[in-house]
């Protein structure tokens, strides 16, 4: 007996990186054993910021699903769903948009941040403002009760719960109050020590070649006071050590070093940063091997077949939900025999 239903997803913005893997994908992979999982390719959400770069989306969908498969998401057990191919997401979003105020959406921290980061000023679109309303529709159109996400998404899950409550109060119990499920690995540092992020140019792609992985790891920021190998270092300020810890939490390193031995060697000035980073790179290269091999094996046609099959199954659930929603809202007159 599965515990409940999961919906979560990514915006298809290209190749996945170690931050996606350690921060979300490995967690999702493990959850497949216990939950009925819907993994969403949120291509409509890409439009909220990249409506002028739509040609890239198709290729990015393929890249994203490839990395999902390589990370162990299993299309036989879980549904991989293409958001734009299920019009019920947009329909439910429209109905939900009546239940939330503009003022409430303007208070959303991710909206405020995006508006500032992208220097949008008065040019922020209605689509960007209603981003979390579409996300609420993504979750509730499948009546999912569990949403594994990173901390940055918590405000969106809170809004989803508010919308579900509002709908249930107005029209009768229909939706579960979905719970966020935080990944154990909250923050994966990039090469510059900031959070690993596609747009910060600090990420290590999962499909990187061995040389690329090594070169990226060697470029990681370490303790500036440890200039020579024999200087004692402070692992707590070292981004390479922070990444190692995030990796080790999911894939314990036991080869010829451990997190504890690295910490000791670093503090004691027994090893230099370059030697250390080379050891870490070896471990990552080994762990990332399946990403390159699986990726190379899966042609685009297979990706589209996988998406078609998952989306087909998902759409049945979405249709069923919309039937229920129309009934609860006394909107059955919309079912004209056309
Ligand atoms: N907003 C999420 C992100 O940027 C992506 C997303 C879209 C999502 N719809 C969702 C996540 C529904 C969880 C549930 O990562």
């Amino acid at each position: 007996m599965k515990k409940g239903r999961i919906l979560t997803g990514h915006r298809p913005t290209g190749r996945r990186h170690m931050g996606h893997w350690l921060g979300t994908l490995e967690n999702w992979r493990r959850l497949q054993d216990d939950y009925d999982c819907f993994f969403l390719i949120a291509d409509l959400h890409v439009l909220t910021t990249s409506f002028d770069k739509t040609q890239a989306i198709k290729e990015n969908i393929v890249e994203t699903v490839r990395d999902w498969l390589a990370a162990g998401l299993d299309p036989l057990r879980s549904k991989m769903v293409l958001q734009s191919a299920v019009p019920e997401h947009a329909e439910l979003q429209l109905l939900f948009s009546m239940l939330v105020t503009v003022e409430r959406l303007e208070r959303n921290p991710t909206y405020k941040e995006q508006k500032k980061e992208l220097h949008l000023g008065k040019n922020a679109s209605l689509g960007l403002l209603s981003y979390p309303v579409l996300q609420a529709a993504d979750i509730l159109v499948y009546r999912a009760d569990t949403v594994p996400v990173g901390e940055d998404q918590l405000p969106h899950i809170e809004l989803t719960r508010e919308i579900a409550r509002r709908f249930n109060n107005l029209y009768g119990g229909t939706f579960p109050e979905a719970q966020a499920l935080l990944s154990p690995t909250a923050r994966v540092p990039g090469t510059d020590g900031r959070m690993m992020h596609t747009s910060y140019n600090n990420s290590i792609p999962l499909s990187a070649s061995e040389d690329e992985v090594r070169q990226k790891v060697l470029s990681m920021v370490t303790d500036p006071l440890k200039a020579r190998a024999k200087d004692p270092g402070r692992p707590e300020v070292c981004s390479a050590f922070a990444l190692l810890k995030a990796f080790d939490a999911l894939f314990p390193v036991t080869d010829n070093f451990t997190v504890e031995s690295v910490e000791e060697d670093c503090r004691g000035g027994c090893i230099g940063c370059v030697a250390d980073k080379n050891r870490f790179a070896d471990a990552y290269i080994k762990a990332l091997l399946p990403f390159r091999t699986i990726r190379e094996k899966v042609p685009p046609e297979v990706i589209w077949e996988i998406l078609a099959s998952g989306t087909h199954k998902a759409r049945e659930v979405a249709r069923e939900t919309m039937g229920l929603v129309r009934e609860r809202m006394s909107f059955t007159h919309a079912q004209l025999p056309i």
Side-chain angles (χ1 to χ4, degrees), residues 7-9 11 40 42 45 131 135 138-139 147 149 153 156:
L7 180 122
T8 188
R11 276 170 298 152
L40 186 73
H45 275 111
Y131 183 117
Q135 186 162 344
D138 295 341
I139 295 165
V147 192
V149 280
Q153 295 294 311
H156 295 171

Side-chain angles (χ1 to χ4, degrees), residues 7-11 16 20 24 28 38 40-43 45 83 89 114 131-132 134-139 146-150 152-153 156-157 160:
L7 180 122
T8 188
H10 276 167
R11 276 170 298 152
R16 303 292 89 185
H20 293 121
T24 59
W28 299 0
F38 291 65
L40 186 73
I41 293 286
D43 58 340
H45 275 111
Q83 186 188 34
H89 288 246
Q114 289 265 9
Y131 183 117
L134 180 57
Q135 186 162 344
D138 295 341
I139 295 165
T146 310
V147 192
V149 280
D152 61 312
Q153 295 294 311
H156 295 171
I157 310 305
T160 303

Side-chain angles (χ1 to χ4, degrees), residues 5-9 27-28 31 35 38 135-136 138-140 143-150 153-154 156-157 160-161 176-183:
R5 182 173 288 168
I6 276 180
L7 180 122
T8 188
N27 190 34
W28 299 0
L31 290 165
Y35 291 85
F38 291 65
Q135 186 162 344
D138 295 341
I139 295 165
L140 296 176
R143 283 164 283 155
D145 46 52
T146 310
V147 192
V149 280
Q153 295 294 311
L154 289 180
H156 295 171
I157 310 305
T160 303
R161 294 163 61 82
E177 274 187 46
Q179 300 264 9
L181 190 67
L182 282 180
S183 318

Side-chain angles (χ1 to χ4, degrees), residues 160-173:
T160 303
R161 294 163 61 82
E162 286 173 30
I163 291 175
R165 273 200 296 270
R166 189 90 207 280
F167 189 101
N168 291 346
N169 285 337
L170 279 166
Y171 308 114

Side-chain angles (χ1 to χ4, degrees), residues 51-262:
F51 53 85
D52 53 348
K53 293 189 237 26
T54 50
Q55 309 89 319
I57 296 176
K58 194 169 176 188
E59 178 59 25
N60 284 340
I61 291 171
V62 174
E63 294 301 315
T64 302
V65 175
R66 270 215 179 104
D67 280 329
W68 281 8
L69 296 172
L73 301 193
D74 176 2
L76 297 177
R77 284 192 292 163
S78 304
K79 289 162 274 299
M80 299 191 184
V81 186
L82 183 61
Q83 186 188 34
S84 62
V86 183
E88 286 75 11
H89 288 246
E91 189 182 353
L92 189 56
Q93 190 237 5
L94 176 92
L95 300 177
F96 283 170
S97 71
M98 315 299 163
L99 308 184
V100 54
T101 64
V102 172
E103 208 271 331
R104 170 71 180 84
L105 294 174
E106 281 171 342
R107 270 191 279 127
N108 172 27
T110 44
Y111 171 71
K112 287 201 274 193
E113 195 185 302
Q114 289 265 9
K115 200 173 152 192
K116 196 165 126 226
E117 287 276 320
L118 303 171
H119 310 289
L120 294 175
K122 287 186 188 306
N123 293 320
S125 72
L126 175 59
L128 184 67
L129 182 67
S130 59
Y131 183 117
V133 187
L134 180 57
Q135 186 162 344
D138 295 341
I139 295 165
L140 296 176
V141 83
Y142 303 113
R143 283 164 283 155
D145 46 52
T146 310
V147 192
V149 280
E151 228 166 279
D152 61 312
Q153 295 294 311
L154 289 180
H156 295 171
I157 310 305
E158 191 45 47
L159 186 82
T160 303
R161 294 163 61 82
E162 286 173 30
I163 291 175
R165 273 200 296 270
R166 189 90 207 280
F167 189 101
N168 291 346
N169 285 337
L170 279 166
Y171 308 114
T174 306
F175 295 113
E177 274 187 46
Q179 300 264 9
L181 190 67
L182 282 180
S183 318
T185 327
R187 192 179 164 282
V188 180
T191 51
D192 58 0
R194 292 188 293 168
M195 187 175 141
M196 197 180 282
H197 200 287
T198 316
S199 62
Y200 293 170
N201 202 15
N202 67 353
S203 65
I204 305 176
L206 295 171
S207 51
S209 67
E210 294 193 10
D211 287 349
E212 204 182 336
V213 173
R214 192 171 305 278
Q215 176 247 317
K216 297 256 185 185
V217 174
L218 286 172
S219 77
M220 291 195 85
V221 190
T222 52
D223 180 359
L225 296 181
K226 185 170 164 62
R228 278 175 233 93
K230 293 213 159 26
D231 295 339
R234 297 166 300 165
E236 63 278 9
V237 301
C238 172
S239 67
F241 184 72
L243 180 62
L244 180 74
K245 268 199 359 201
F247 176 78
D248 177 77
L250 295 170
F251 304 99
V253 279
T254 48
D255 286 2
N256 47 11
F257 63 95
T258 60
V259 170
E260 291 74 28
S261 77
V262 166

